[in-house]
């Protein structure tokens, strides 16, 4: 169960984050006006990292909820528990965030059960309210509170697409894969590898990102490149490291696995 | 009953009047002996072969019995493909020979024992080359290696090594080299870049020539065009090799032993004279460099050294290759009667400017359609053709394609020619279309298309924009 201690959610050290464009300014402007944030972008493109950076910048705690298809309203709001014959209430992460004026970040929000919109909607529009039905309580979020959700347009499906009434409540920020120079710098910093290698990894990623027509749903993310860099720094042979962190992570199709390994061995 | 159906199916493929009565009878007899699945498979292949050659078809039917001892019905189509290939390349006799030994000519290759067939390599090779290039290039089996800039042609099979892996690496090298030629603009199709190229010895320099065909103009300045093309292609191969070493060092390192192998297979240079000798000298020098052994020296021609160095410098562009082609020709080809054309380097393949030009025109037309359709899809419905259309670049405006009333304009490349900017950089990708003073942000896909069109034509024609609105 979600920890009740809000202090744990403060971010003590400045996270390393390289802005892609004006995302920080936009997010701060949204925050200042009590508007919720929608982060769009492929996996591993820095959405979570950005939220950490934002939370650190505005000095608010960050409470992250990874949404899944079982996630219900009470997982967000809270529930009664029985312990030793006694019943007591436990705040869910969203309630916790509202009470303490924290950032509530719902990761992959389209995965959550449809009934969660009942609590998301009033919190995301100008009411900024959270109703805790089971307790007959109605909370109004303080101005420090921020709701943020993320969503990967690459996985769009008819079932899992976000409803217009939901998405139109948010200020949208698109975080795509960073441009090559920036991505290379991120890898150098995160994995502690040198320029030529970082540059090669970025090139490999760009190659895999062009393979949609060949049946690869999504290309290698910045995260995978960081992983590859970390293994290589540990002394794993570069091609092997890339095979494990990039190729096999991307696909099970043997031909595609072969093709991606060939790209890697051409570049490295 | 079955015979009646067989006869009917056969008639669909070979009209009765094209067969002698006895031929017809025999054929029905043969087919009727097969089960339904096999009969269908064989009929399908007859349909493929008959229009190519009746004699070949009879030869095929004659050998079929033997063939079926070791072939599965589902392998028939691939076998026939092989037969047709041999027939087209070397005629009926060769095809008969090919058919007579299914095991050695077909099956063991299919298993990759004595070589790797294109079909066995393409599953991995196609996504490889598309990922590497970021373009949807096609790969096709062919008698020789080449590219028309849309398709890369590769051998039907590769059998340098006993194992699959080695032969696949050869396929990979060939495909990557051809991509290198495309990427380095062997056929001078990037008008943004070729606008500033000076054609040495071109009388029409500065006048309006066919901008599309700067290569044709260049080769027209030579008495022996074939020889000039061979020189140009070889010097471009040096330039592309440097590019590949920089961009794909892993590949070039892995293939070092293969370059050494190719070097061993080159003709004996001491048998050659004149320009043939010099060109072969360069080829062998290149293979030496690429294999890392550097066994082959350029010798004592200081001028040849200068030419090779210029192409090999890593800085050379198409314009430089024009220059060195010219100086090589002028220095060594005054007396070209002794010129004997030798096979190009395997990865270099054939030089096919005409095919490349055709492919470019096809691409141009399809890009035009795609662009207009995609732009029409994002334009606000009230936009009409009468409104001024303009493509704009950010932050700097692109060489403007302003047009009133949808009139055609001259591509910007024409003017830039005369400006004092020899090193004109490729323009930045257009990001906006300015319609009626409103900026429309182009989606990624359209931007990419616009960039391709600009490279090809020198600028984005404004009627592309007015046609969409
Ligand atoms: N702009 C950036 N600055 C610094 N690091 C970055 C940046 N973008 C990506 N990264 C690196 O990539 C890794 C993955 O990013 P992150 O976890 O934020 O991705 P995400 O978008 O949240 O992915 P998912 O959708 O899978 O949750 C980070 O741990 C960090 O190392
Ligand atoms: Mg995340």
């Amino acid at each position: 169960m979600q920890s009740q201690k809000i202090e744990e959610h403060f971010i003590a050290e400045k996270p390393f984050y390289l802005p892609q464009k004006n995302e920080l300014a936009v997010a701060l402007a949204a925050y200042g006006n009590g508007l919720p944030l929608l982060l769009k972008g492929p996996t591993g493109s820095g959405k979570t990292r950005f939220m950490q950076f934002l939370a650190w910048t505005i000095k608010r705690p960050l409470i992250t909820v990874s949404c899944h298809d079982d996630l219900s309203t009470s997982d967000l709001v809270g529930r009664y528990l029985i312990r030793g014959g006694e019943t007591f209430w436990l705040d869910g992460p969203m309630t916790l965030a509202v009470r303490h004026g924290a950032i509530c970040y719902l990761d992959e929000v389209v995965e959550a059960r449809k009934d969660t919109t009942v609590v998301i909607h009033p919190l995301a529009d100008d009411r900024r309210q959270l109703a805790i039905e089971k307790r007959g309580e109605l909370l109004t979020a303080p101005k420090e509170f921020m709701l943020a959700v993320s969503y990967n347009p690459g996985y769009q499906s008819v079932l899992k697409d976000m409803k217009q009434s939901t998405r139109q409540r948010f200020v949208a920020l698109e975080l795509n894969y960073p441009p090559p120079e920036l991505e290379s710098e991120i890898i150098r910093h995160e994995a502690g590898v040198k320029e030529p290698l970082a540059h090669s990894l970025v090139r490999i990623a760009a190659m895999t990102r062009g393979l949609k027509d060949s049946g690869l749903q999504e290309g290698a993310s910045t995260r995978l490149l960081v992983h590859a860099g970390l293994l290589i720094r540990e002394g794993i042979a570069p091609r092997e490291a890339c095979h494990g962190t990039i190729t096999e992570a991307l696909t099970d199709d043997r031909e595609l696995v072969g093709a991606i390994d060939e790209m890697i061995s051409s570049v490295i | 009953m079955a015979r009646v159906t067989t006869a009917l199916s056969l008639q669909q493929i070979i009209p009765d009047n094209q067969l002698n009565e006895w031929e017809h009878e025999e054929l029905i007899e043969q087919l009727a002996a097969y089960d339904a699945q096999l009969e269908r498979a064989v009929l399908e292949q007859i349909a493929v072969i008959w229009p190519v050659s009746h004699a070949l078809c009879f030869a095929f039917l004659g050998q079929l019995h033997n063939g079926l001892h070791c072939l599965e019905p589902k392998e028939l189509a691939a076998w026939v493909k092989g037969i047709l290939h041999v027939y087209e390349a070397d005629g009926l006799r060769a095809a008969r020979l090919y058919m007579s030994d299914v095991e050695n000519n077909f099956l063991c290759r299919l298993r990759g024992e004595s070589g790797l067939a294109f079909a066995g390599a393409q599953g991995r090779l196609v996504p490889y080359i598309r990922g590497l290039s970021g373009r949807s290039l096609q790969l096709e089996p062919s008698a020789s290696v080449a590219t028309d800039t849309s398709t890369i042609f590769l051998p039907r099979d590769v059998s340098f090594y006993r194992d699959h892996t080695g032969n696949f690496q050869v396929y990979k090298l060939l495909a990557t080299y051809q991509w290198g030629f495309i990427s380095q603009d062997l056929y001078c199709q990037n008008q943004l870049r070729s606008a500033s190229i000076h054609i040495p010895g071109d009388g029409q320099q500065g006048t309006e020539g066919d901008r599309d065909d700067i290569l044709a103009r260049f080769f027209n300045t030579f008495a022996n065009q074939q020889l000039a093309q061979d020189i140009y292609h070889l010097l471009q191969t040096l330039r592309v090799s440097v590019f590949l070493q920089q961009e794909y060092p892993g590949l070039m390192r892995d293939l070092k032993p293969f370059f050494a192998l190719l070097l061993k297979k080159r003709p004996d240079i001491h048998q050659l004279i004149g320009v043939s000798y010099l060109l072969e000298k360069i080829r062998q020098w290149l293979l030496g460099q690429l294999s890392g052994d550097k066994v082959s020296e350029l010798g004592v021609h200081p001028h040849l050294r200068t030419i090779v160095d210029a192409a090999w410098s890593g800085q050379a562009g198409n314009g430089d290759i024009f220059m060195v082609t010219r100086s090589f020709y002028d220095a060594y080809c005054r007396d070209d009667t002794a010129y004997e054309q030798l096979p190009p380097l395997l990865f270099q393949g054939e030089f096919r400017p005409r095919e490349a030009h055709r492919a470019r025109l096809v691409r141009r037309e399809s890009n035009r359609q795609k662009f207009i359709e995609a732009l029409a899809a994002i334009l606000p419905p009230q936009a009409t053709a009468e409104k001024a259309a303009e493509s704009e670049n950010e932050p700097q405006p692109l060489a403007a394609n302003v047009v009133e009333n949808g009139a055609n304009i001259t591509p910007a490349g024409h003017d830039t020619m005369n400006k004092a900017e020899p090193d004109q950089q490729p323009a930045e990708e257009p990001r906006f279309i300015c319609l009626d003073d409103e900026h429309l942000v182009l989606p990624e896909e359209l931007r990419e298309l616009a960039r391709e069109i600009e490279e090809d034509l020198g600028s984005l024609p404004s009627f592309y924009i007015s046609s969409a609105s």
Side-chain angles (χ1 to χ4, degrees):
Chain A
M1 197 67 218
Q2 180 74 42
S3 159
Q4 290 280 61
K5 293 207 197 74
I6 191 69
E7 292 74 27
E8 292 174 3
H9 296 282
F10 275 101
I11 290 165
E13 263 178 62
K14 181 180 181 180
F16 170 75
Y17 182 77
L18 287 184
Q20 293 191 17
K21 40 190 181 201
N22 60 348
E23 61 265 35
L24 186 64
V26 172
L28 289 176
Y31 180 67
N33 286 282
L35 301 174
L37 205 58
L38 165 64
L39 296 184
K40 288 205 252 187
T43 183
S45 60
K47 299 185 293 294
T48 296
R49 184 58 68 87
F50 174 69
M51 287 313 298
Q52 292 168 335
F53 183 64
L54 179 66
W56 180 86
T57 307
I58 60 179
K59 306 277 175 281
R60 299 312 307 161
L62 175 66
I63 298 176
T64 302
V65 184
S66 296
C67 300
H68 50 80
D69 52 11
D70 259 350
L71 188 97
S72 64
T73 315
S74 48
D75 291 323
L76 290 175
V77 177
R79 71 182 76 203
Y80 280 107
L81 293 179
I82 303 171
R83 262 191 218 148
E86 262 185 80
T87 328
F88 65 96
W89 172 259
L90 186 71
D91 276 346
M94 197 174 242
T95 309
L96 190 68
V98 171
R99 285 196 206 284
H100 294 91
I103 302 179
C104 179
Y105 175 45
L106 306 179
D107 210 353
E108 278 305 326
V109 69
V110 284
E111 295 293 332
R113 268 166 50 171
K114 290 283 159 272
D115 59 335
T116 54
T117 47
V118 176
V119 289
I120 294 174
H121 279 197
L123 200 54
D125 58 32
D126 53 6
R127 286 171 285 173
R128 287 172 64 87
Q129 283 175 336
L130 177 65
I132 310 175
E133 269 180 35
K134 291 189 182 126
R135 287 164 63 87
E137 206 177 335
L138 183 67
L139 301 179
T140 300
K143 70 177 194 331
E144 292 80 11
F145 169 81
M146 180 182 220
L147 178 65
V149 301
S150 79
Y151 141 84
N152 182 342
Y155 301 154
Q156 251 173 6
S157 74
V158 191
L159 284 176
K160 291 265 170 80
D161 202 5
M162 205 192 264
K163 285 204 300 191
Q164 281 298 326
S165 57
T166 307
R167 54 197 299 161
Q168 291 203 15
R169 284 176 152 77
F170 290 83
V171 173
L173 262 184
E174 194 182 2
L175 290 186
N176 228 312
Y177 303 120
E181 287 314 311
L182 202 71
E183 190 163 40
S184 168
E185 196 179 333
I186 293 171
I187 297 161
R188 273 177 321 203
H189 182 279
E190 293 283 289
V193 296
K194 294 238 159 55
E195 172 50 47
L197 178 62
H199 178 71
S200 297
L201 290 172
V202 170
R203 285 186 56 215
I204 291 167
M207 291 173 184
T208 65
R209 289 168 193 167
L211 283 178
K212 278 230 168 64
D213 293 342
S214 308
L216 197 66
Q217 207 188 20
E218 224 163 274
S221 64
T222 312
R223 175 187 295 130
L224 292 190
L225 305 184
V226 170
H227 292 176
L230 288 170
L231 293 201
I232 295 170
R233 205 192 53 188
E234 285 298 313
I236 309 285
R239 289 180 183 183
E240 256 173 72
C242 291
H243 173 79
T245 54
I246 298 175
T247 314
E248 293 291 351
L250 288 180
T251 178
D252 295 323
D253 179 306
R254 289 340 280 173
E255 300 283 28
L256 276 176
V257 162
I260 296 169
D261 277 345
E262 296 298 348
M263 292 169 202
I264 292 167
S265 66
S266 279
V267 172
I268 295 194
Chain B
M1 187 59 215
R3 274 169 158 262
V4 178
T5 2
T6 307
L8 278 175
S9 326
L10 182 62
Q11 202 185 11
Q12 310 259 317
I13 300 165
I14 311 178
D16 283 350
N17 62 7
Q18 293 191 6
L19 288 174
N20 287 314
E21 209 166 295
W22 49 271
E23 285 169 336
H24 187 263
E25 276 307 301
E26 261 178 25
L27 195 45
I28 298 287
E29 192 123 341
Q30 184 175 354
L31 289 169
Y34 302 142
D35 64 33
Q37 185 206 2
L38 184 56
E39 180 184 310
R40 213 174 317 118
V42 172
L43 278 167
E44 275 169 18
Q45 296 315 312
I46 295 178
V48 174
I49 307 174
W50 186 257
V52 176
S53 153
H54 300 183
L56 182 67
C57 193
F58 287 120
F60 163 75
L61 289 164
Q63 298 275 1
L64 189 57
H65 184 69
N66 276 333
L68 287 172
H69 280 313
C70 33
L71 285 172
E72 302 278 338
K74 64 174 183 338
E75 289 165 339
L76 263 185
W79 186 47
V80 168
K81 245 185 163 173
I83 296 170
L84 286 173
H85 168 234
V86 176
Y87 175 78
E88 275 155 20
D90 305 308
L92 186 59
R93 267 177 70 104
R96 277 184 205 277
L97 270 176
Y98 177 87
M99 284 188 271
S100 67
D101 193 349
V102 184
E103 175 57 34
N104 278 314
N105 292 330
F106 176 72
L107 282 177
C108 69
R109 291 188 177 217
L110 208 61
R111 293 192 300 264
E113 279 169 16
S114 84
L116 175 60
F118 175 80
Q122 68 171 343
R124 206 188 319 166
L125 209 52
V126 172
Y128 163 76
I129 204 69
R130 292 192 176 165
L132 204 72
S133 63
R135 300 193 194 185
S136 46
L137 295 169
Q138 306 290 325
L139 298 184
E140 258 181 44
S142 161
S144 45
V145 177
T147 180
D148 67 5
T149 67
S150 286
T151 303
I152 290 176
F153 303 96
L154 296 169
R156 288 170 205 284
D157 71 294
V158 166
S159 48
F160 282 93
Y161 297 101
R162 294 193 65 85
D163 64 319
H164 214 89
T165 325
N167 289 323
F168 183 84
Q169 291 304 309
V170 175
Y171 264 121
K172 179 182 168 186
L173 179 78
L174 300 182
T176 312
Y177 248 100
Q178 292 306 308
W179 156 239
F181 282 119
I182 298 172
S183 135
Q184 295 304 291
D185 201 18
L186 171 69
Y187 294 109
C188 300
Q189 298 188 336
N190 185 332
Q191 207 169 118
L192 286 180
R193 263 188 254 154
S194 53
S196 59
I197 291 182
H198 169 77
I199 300 184
D202 182 13
Q204 350 173 351
Q205 190 71 35
T207 68
E208 300 279 303
D210 181 359
R211 299 215 50 79
D212 261 7
D213 226 344
I214 183 170
L215 260 192
R217 265 166 57 205
F218 176 56
F219 291 125
N220 273 334
T221 63
F222 294 90
N224 186 338
Q225 294 206 16
Q226 181 60 56
L227 174 54
Q229 290 191 5
D230 289 352
I231 299 166
Y232 172 81
H233 193 198
L234 180 57
L235 294 173
Q236 285 282 19
T237 307
L238 299 186
R239 180 167 86 94
V240 166
S241 300
V242 179
F243 165 77
L244 295 181
Q245 284 188 328
Q246 284 164 356
E247 295 294 304
Y248 312 112
L251 172 75
M252 298 303 269
R253 199 172 56 236
D254 288 351
L255 272 289
K256 277 182 179 180
F258 179 65
F259 292 118
L261 182 70
L262 287 182
L263 183 55
K264 283 205 202 100
K265 290 176 183 262
R266 291 306 299 180
D268 179 5
I269 196 149
H270 303 296
Q271 306 291 319
L272 301 168
I273 50 161
V275 63
S276 315
Y277 168 85
L278 291 175
L279 288 176
E280 185 57 23
K281 189 104 199 142
I282 297 178
R283 288 186 200 105
Q284 300 197 7
W285 174 85
L286 173 63
L287 289 172
Q289 294 292 317
L290 297 176
S291 68
D293 299 339
K294 306 192 178 163
V295 280
S296 175
E297 282 306 321
L298 270 180
V300 288
H301 291 271
H303 190 53
L304 191 64
R305 253 250 85 92
T306 319
I307 287 170
V308 166
D309 283 348
W312 185 250
S313 69
Q315 315 289 318
N318 278 343
D320 303 298
I321 301 298
F322 277 31
M323 299 298 288
V324 284
T325 300
R326 185 81 244 176
S327 46
F328 184 99
Y329 190 96
D330 289 347
Y332 303 114
C333 308
R334 287 288 170 226
D335 170 30
D336 57 39
T337 44
Y339 178 54
E340 178 196 350
Q341 200 185 15
L342 290 170
L345 295 163
L346 181 75
F347 46 84
Q348 175 187 4
E350 284 182 1
F351 188 62
R352 297 186 179 167
R354 245 175 258 120
E355 271 101 324
H357 191 61
R358 268 201 296 277
R360 178 189 193 182
L361 296 182
V362 170
R363 226 172 21 239
R364 178 178 298 171
E365 176 54 18
S366 108
N367 280 348
R368 185 185 66 85
Q369 283 175 15
K370 273 195 255 168
F371 182 86
I372 291 174
E373 274 167 31
L375 182 60
I378 62 159
L379 282 185
Q382 72 273 19
T384 62
E386 286 93 64
K387 288 176 182 162
E390 173 185 352
S391 137
E392 198 180 294
N393 212 14
E394 210 204 33
Q396 269 180 335
L398 173 107
N401 307 321
V402 188
V403 64
E404 297 283 304
N405 304 325
N408 203 343
I409 54 147
T410 326
H414 278 281
D415 324 318
T416 49
M417 255 284 286
N418 302 323
K419 281 188 201 155
E421 284 176 83
D423 287 317
Q424 191 200 0
Q425 287 301 307
E428 275 204 5
E429 213 169 64
R431 299 218 196 125
F432 293 98
I433 294 283
C434 183
L435 243 188
D436 217 16
D437 287 340
E438 269 183 62
H439 278 220
L440 205 68
V441 181
L442 296 182
E444 181 66 32
E445 168 211 12
L446 249 175
R447 260 190 253 168
E448 175 65 29
L449 258 176
R451 191 189 50 73
E452 242 184 75
I453 294 168
E454 278 195 343
E455 273 183 13
D456 177 30
L457 295 173
S459 69
L460 188 64
S462 58
F463 72 93
Y464 279 25
I465 298 163
S466 49
S467 309
S469 46

